[in-house]
């Protein structure tokens, strides 16, 4: 008898093991054996599902995210800000204007009223920035020792204003842009949690991106795919794109914007900045010819002022839509040597969001 | 200095303390001081928010619920069946056809793959009964000892097919109907958890009610309010109605359908069946004249065959919409003595759903 398989922390890391759990177990049981090519399951690979209700012509984006971040309060934000921004961003990167939010609280017995109040204040403030309305809620309390302070689920509904932005809509020649410095959130959480004292404080980049994204899309820039980089950083985003589209994406490491403090933190601990979580950065794949306009528009927005072009889609596999022979990300290192930019794996940092 | 206020288990019981937490803290912080009369906050008192997207004429119901039930597997269901049925029912009682479901998993490190598979199978099976599609998901893993097996959040979207069903739409003379035996789920979970050996097994009533509810509504029965009885049982539902509408609701205790095994269980432990959770029972307030048709239609459906008329709305306060002077539920006891049917309070049974 082989030992019973169990869930590991790495299954929640947002990298390889998470994909394996989702594709190997969750999808299989939820959608049965005929999973590949199934529209329902495919939509789960996007940041939000695109749905239609009744006879209405409107397309609606629908997404969900649970937040288990530890610690609950950190420099640059808290779980309240994070749970609004995270869901706002998941809708925004599908070209959907965020409209409605639900709030599911799981609170541990003994949790402080004051902390709960402060988290609610953050939620109200962050929601007001985008104008998303909290319209549904649920509160559960579990005994001491059966949770860790508070876990928050937010689900969001948005109206799709810009169509056909999809992980499957990457094309050869698309230019890859990142909207700002990478790895700030991951470094901020990790340095706080591990008690690492940095010379310079690192602050989470946690932010709601609809305003910035809308400003780009409304200029008419043709965006193929867009995603907010969270768990697993831009490495997770780029590898998912490469695999979903069967594409080879080329990234110039020297072009990736990274703050010096984050670089120092990564050197100290042996991390790659591009594998660390962001919570207020978007990655764009824009059709060639649109990159300058996209970059200029991004740079004129406070949340995009450090945006950079970091690479392009070198080629796309010919084995058909959604297939992934050789989908990979090539990283031209700062010393000129090419290597593969791996999708993060292992328990890089549990409970980052 | 007074001691810091902390969250208690009773804040999650679905009774008085839950209302106090929601109204006193959550709403206040989320919606600011001008909360009373605020449309956004009022909608939170319903089982689902009714929203509109863009210029579409369709009304959409949107709801969220987190499930922390302990144990995860019980007679009559498991957390998978429960998390689908619970959200399907929250949409259904707003007159909305359940269409789309999101699934937010928070899994404790070390949780068994087999249990996860079985829960996913239950979700797929229960969703297929109503035809609701799981279209969005999220998976988080937290370290051993920071959760309790698995917590699941489901949010749901439905299309409102029947309008104006609302907790505020109770009228004098409305007839109160319950769709089946009360307290089965609460008794099943509690007897299992406390290791109480009953002569007769008690099985959870956990079920998705859209089919049954739709069968009633499509006959043209005029339903003022409708709600599924979950935490706090029918006592919680009736008290919320009484308070929201400023109404006095009269209930005949002898008419409330309760299984003998549940009665015995309650006598043994000093509970009131009407305060125990159900997970597959709906309470209706139908306009006078429609009660016979409603009852007949319910009884012809497998999930409503034990439906009964249990009371009526005696009077509705005159102090204006949404005010609650003297909103209360009067219970005519089985020995003919009237008393108040209290909203449940205290930690009746944490983690019942």
């Amino acid at each position: 008898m082989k030992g019973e398989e169990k869930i590991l922390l790495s299954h929640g890391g947002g990298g390889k093991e998470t994909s394996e759990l989702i594709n190997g177990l969750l999808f299989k049981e939820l959608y049965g054996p005929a999973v590949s090519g199934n529209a329902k399951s495919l939509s789960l690979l996007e940041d939000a599902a695109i749905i239609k209700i009744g006879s209405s012509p409107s397309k609606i984006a629908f997404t969900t995210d649970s937040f288990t971040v530890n610690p609950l309060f950190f420099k640059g934000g808290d779980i309240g800000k994070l749970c609004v921004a995270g869901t706002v961003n998941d809708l925004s990167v599908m070209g959907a204007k965020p409209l409605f939010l639900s709030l599911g609280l799981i609170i541990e017995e003994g949790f402080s009223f004051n902390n709960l109040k402060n988290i609610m204040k953050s939620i109200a403030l962050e929601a007001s920035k985008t104008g998303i309305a909290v319209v549904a809620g649920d509160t559960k309390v579990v005994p001491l020792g059966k949770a860790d302070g508070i876990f928050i689920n937010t689900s969001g509904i948005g109206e799709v204003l810009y169509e056909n932005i999809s992980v499957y809509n990457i094309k050869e020649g698309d230019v890859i842009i990142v909207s700002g410095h990478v790895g700030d959130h991951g470094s901020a959480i990790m340095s706080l949690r591990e008690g690492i004292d940095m010379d310079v404080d690192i602050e989470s980049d946690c932010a709601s991106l609809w305003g910035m994204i809308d400003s780009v899309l409304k200029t008419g820039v043709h965006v193929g795919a867009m995603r907010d980089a969270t768990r697993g950083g831009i490495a997770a985003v780029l590898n998912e794109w490469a695999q979903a589209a069967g594409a080879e994406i080329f990234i110039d490491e020297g072009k990736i914007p990274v703050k010096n403090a984050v670089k120092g933190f990564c050197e100290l601990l042996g991390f790659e900045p591009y594998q660390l979580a962001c919570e207020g950065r978007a990655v764009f794949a824009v059709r060639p010819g649109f990159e300058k306009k996209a970059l200029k528009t991004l740079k004129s927005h406070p949340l995009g002022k450090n945006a950079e072009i970091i690479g392009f889609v070198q080629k796309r596999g010919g084995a058909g839509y959604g297939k992934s022979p050789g989908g990979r990300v090539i990283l031209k290192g700062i010393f000129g040597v090419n290597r593969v930019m791996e999708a993060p794996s292992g328990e890089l940092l549990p409970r980052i969001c």
Side-chain angles (χ1 to χ4, degrees), chain A:
Chain A
M1 248 182 82
K2 66 172 191 149
E4 197 192 3
E5 277 186 293
K6 289 182 188 302
I7 291 289
L8 306 172
L9 277 177
S10 56
H11 285 118
K16 281 181 189 168
E17 295 86 347
T18 304
S19 299
E20 282 163 15
L21 177 69
I22 291 174
N23 291 302
L25 193 159
L26 303 182
F27 281 9
K28 207 167 131 190
E29 299 302 337
L30 284 173
Y31 304 118
V35 61
S36 65
N38 178 319
K40 279 186 221 165
S41 68
L42 283 182
S43 70
L44 282 173
L45 293 174
E46 307 277 10
D47 270 1
I50 305 299
I51 57 180
K52 293 186 77 172
I53 309 275
S55 57
S56 162
S58 299
K59 284 188 181 169
I60 294 171
F62 179 37
T63 186
T64 194
D65 226 334
S66 295
F67 295 84
T68 62
V69 66
N70 169 30
L72 297 171
F73 300 87
F74 45 85
K75 199 162 165 70
D78 60 28
I79 191 172
K81 183 179 184 184
L82 196 60
C83 77
V84 175
T87 290
V88 161
N89 294 347
D90 280 349
L91 295 171
S92 303
V93 296
M94 297 300 289
K97 181 180 181 179
L99 295 174
F100 303 104
L101 195 71
S102 70
L103 208 56
L105 310 177
I106 297 175
I107 313 176
E108 186 186 11
E109 185 186 13
F111 191 65
S112 125
F113 261 54
N114 265 341
N115 283 345
L116 188 58
K117 271 185 200 169
N118 288 330
I119 291 166
M120 290 302 126
K121 280 187 213 292
S122 287
I123 288 172
L125 178 65
E126 192 62 24
S128 73
K129 289 180 192 167
T130 306
I132 194 169
V134 180
V135 294
D138 177 60
T139 307
K140 294 284 165 23
V141 180
V142 297
L144 197 66
K146 299 295 184 189
D148 195 13
I150 188 169
F151 300 144
I152 304 182
N153 176 283
T154 48
S155 299
I157 292 179
E159 183 185 9
V160 177
L161 300 187
Y162 307 97
E163 297 198 32
N164 299 323
I165 297 170
S166 161
V167 58
Y168 299 103
N169 198 10
I170 302 275
K171 285 207 162 63
E172 212 164 292
D174 280 358
V175 179
I176 307 294
I177 301 175
V178 62
S179 70
H181 295 114
V182 305
D184 294 11
H185 179 74
S187 312
I189 294 289
M190 195 172 239
S191 60
L192 188 57
R193 209 154 77 191
E194 307 295 328
I196 296 163
D197 204 12
M198 302 294 295
D199 289 347
V200 187
D201 266 348
I202 305 176
E203 188 167 325
S204 168
D205 53 298
C206 177
S208 295
L209 296 176
W210 171 247
M212 181 191 81
I213 285 172
D214 187 37
S215 76
V216 172
L217 294 175
K218 73 180 168 202
T219 65
V221 163
H222 188 160
V223 174
M226 184 165 42
R227 186 157 280 190
D228 57 326
T230 59
R231 286 182 291 183
I234 61 166
V237 171
L238 294 169
N239 273 282
E240 277 181 43
W241 284 359
Q243 302 229 329
E248 188 169 278
I249 298 175
F250 177 89
I251 299 292
D252 186 343
E253 188 170 11
K255 298 280 173 65
I256 302 174
V258 188
K259 283 182 186 155
N260 282 332
V262 173
K263 271 187 197 156
F265 176 81
C266 284
E267 278 164 18
L268 196 67
L269 295 175
F271 291 120
E272 301 288 3
Y274 51 73
Q275 290 190 337
L276 287 185
C278 315
E279 287 294 341
R281 305 295 179 225
V283 186
F284 298 76
V286 307
R287 295 287 183 262
F290 288 99
E291 66 272 22
K292 282 187 187 164
K293 194 188 219 179
L295 193 66
K296 193 181 157 198
T297 313
L298 279 171
K299 281 183 174 294
S300 70
H301 192 280
L303 293 171
K305 61 180 190 287
N306 299 302
E308 292 296 345
I309 293 171
I310 61 168
F312 64 98
V313 180
Q314 206 153 237
K315 59 183 174 194
R316 191 171 155 166
Y321 184 87
K323 302 289 183 181
S324 55
R328 61 181 185 168
V329 183
I330 303 292
L331 191 70
K332 185 187 136 197
I334 44 177
F335 302 112
V337 180
N338 286 357
R339 63 186 198 275
V340 170
M341 181 196 264
E342 296 284 355
S345 68
E347 45 185 273
L348 187 66
L349 184 51
R351 302 179 60 195
I352 192 73
C353 60

